[in-house]
Amino acid sequence: MMAPRFGPSLRVAALQPSVSLTLDHLDCLDSLVACTRYCLQAVPSLRERNLKVIADSWSSNTEEILSASPDLVLASVPYRLASLAAILKCGVPVLTLAPHSLADVYQDIRLLGDILHAQDRAAAVVEEMMSVFASTQEAAATAEKRVVYCEEWGKPLIHSQTWVAELVSAAGGRFLGKPGSVTDADAVAARDPDVLVFAWCGAGDRVPLERVIEKRKWQLLRAVREGRVYCVPDEFLNTPAPNLLQGLRALAGVIHPEIFGSVPGVRSLQPDGLAAATSKLV
C-alpha cells in the first residue's frame, strides 16, 4: 500500500487506542490533536496534552471529528457501518485500518511510519516485535502444545482474533476454534481445553472469572480443575499494535509458566475459588 503524502506538521485524529499506541511507539504523539477516552487509558501520557476527546471508530460522528480540525483521521477496527459512513463523509482524508493477522499489524506500523516521516523508527519497532516472537517460539518449540480457549466477548461467546491465535501458537499452544467466530459454552466444554483465557473488549482486567465458570457450568473442565483460568487485560490482546508483545508475554506465561514464569497483571482463578460449587456437582 502506497502511503499518502503529508507534511511534517500533520494534525491527526486517532479513533482507536491501537492507533495511539502505535504513534506512541513511533515517537509521533506530537501529531495528535484528538483521540478517544480509550486512547487516554492506553497511553496515560496523553492526558497531559489537553487533546480534544472524541468518540471512537464504533460511534464517531462528523461534527465531533471536524471540531478538532485534523488533517488526517486514523481509524481502526472495530467499526460500525453508520459510524464509518460518518467518518468518510467528514471531508478530511481518512485512513481506515483493518488488520487480521500479525503481518497486517506489521504492515500498518510501517504505513503509519511512512505517513508520519518515521520510517526508521517503524522498521525498528517491527524488527523488535518479530525478534521477540521468534525467540518466544523457539523457547516453546519442544513444549507440550496445550489447547487454549481465548475469548474476546462473553455474550455471545466470541473467539479471539487471528492475531491472538498466532500469539497462542508462538507461545506453544493450540488455539481452540475459529478466530473471530461465535461459539457456545457446550462447544467449548466438549473440547475440554487445557487453558481458558478471557480478554473481553473494553473490560480491561475485570472479567468476572468465577461467575463466568459457574454460569456456564464449566467447573469440571480440565482447565478449571488445574487452575488454568485467566483474565488477560483487554489491551494486551485486542489492540493490534506494538503492545501485542505484552499479550505474547502474558499468553506464554499462562500456557507454559514452567518455561516463561508468571506475568504481572494477569488474574487467575484458583481451584479453591470454586471448591464449594464443584462439590455440589460430584
Side-chain angles (χ1 to χ4, degrees), residues 247-260:
L248 177 62
R249 294 187 187 102
L251 289 172
V254 303
I255 298 171
H256 288 295
E258 73 281 4
I259 298 174
F260 299 101

Side-chain angles (χ1 to χ4, degrees), residues 52-270:
K52 178 82 174 179
V53 178
I54 57 178
D56 60 17
S57 303
W58 189 259
S59 51
S60 293
N61 64 77
T62 304
E63 292 75 19
E64 194 175 54
I65 293 173
L66 291 176
S67 69
S69 301
D71 301 315
L72 174 66
V73 177
L74 293 176
S76 187
V77 289
Y79 299 108
R80 187 167 57 92
L81 288 180
S83 297
L84 183 57
I87 296 168
L88 295 174
K89 288 178 181 177
C90 71
V92 175
V94 177
L95 178 60
T96 56
L97 305 175
H100 296 285
S101 65
L102 290 175
D104 294 337
V105 175
Y106 298 151
Q107 178 177 307
D108 289 346
I109 293 170
R110 294 188 184 100
L111 177 61
L112 293 180
D114 287 344
I115 292 171
L116 296 165
H117 306 278
Q119 294 92 336
D120 290 346
R121 180 59 187 153
V125 169
V126 171
E127 183 179 354
E128 179 192 4
M129 292 180 70
M130 295 177 70
S131 174
V132 173
F133 284 120
S135 62
T136 302
Q137 195 165 25
E138 182 179 358
T142 60
E144 174 191 359
K145 299 297 182 185
R146 292 178 176 137
V147 177
V148 184
Y149 171 65
C150 288
E151 185 174 288
E152 178 184 292
W153 192 244
K155 195 175 180 180
L157 280 63
I158 301 178
H159 293 282
S160 295
Q161 297 301 312
T162 298
W163 62 74
V164 178
E166 293 178 88
L167 299 184
V168 167
S169 179
R174 287 194 291 121
F175 188 87
L176 187 156
K178 180 182 178 181
S181 67
V182 175
T183 186
D184 59 57
D186 290 342
V188 175
R191 297 287 298 276
D192 198 15
D194 299 298
V195 184
L196 298 175
V197 173
F198 299 87
W200 291 356
C201 286
D205 63 350
R206 301 181 299 277
V207 177
L209 297 177
E210 183 174 348
R211 188 169 69 194
V212 168
I213 298 301
E214 291 183 356
K215 185 174 181 179
R216 299 177 187 178
K217 297 180 171 56
W218 281 357
Q219 292 94 332
L220 298 182
L221 292 189
R222 179 187 298 110
V224 179
R225 297 195 316 269
E226 297 179 357
R228 295 180 180 275
V229 181
Y230 303 94
C231 173
V232 173
D234 165 43
E235 62 271 19
F236 286 13
L237 296 181
N238 297 329
T239 50
N243 64 303
L244 286 178
L245 287 182
Q246 292 176 285
L248 177 62
R249 294 187 187 102
L251 289 172
V254 303
I255 298 171
H256 288 295
E258 73 281 4
I259 298 174
F260 299 101
S262 60
V263 180
V266 174
R267 286 196 299 111
S268 64
L269 178 63
Q270 296 304 313

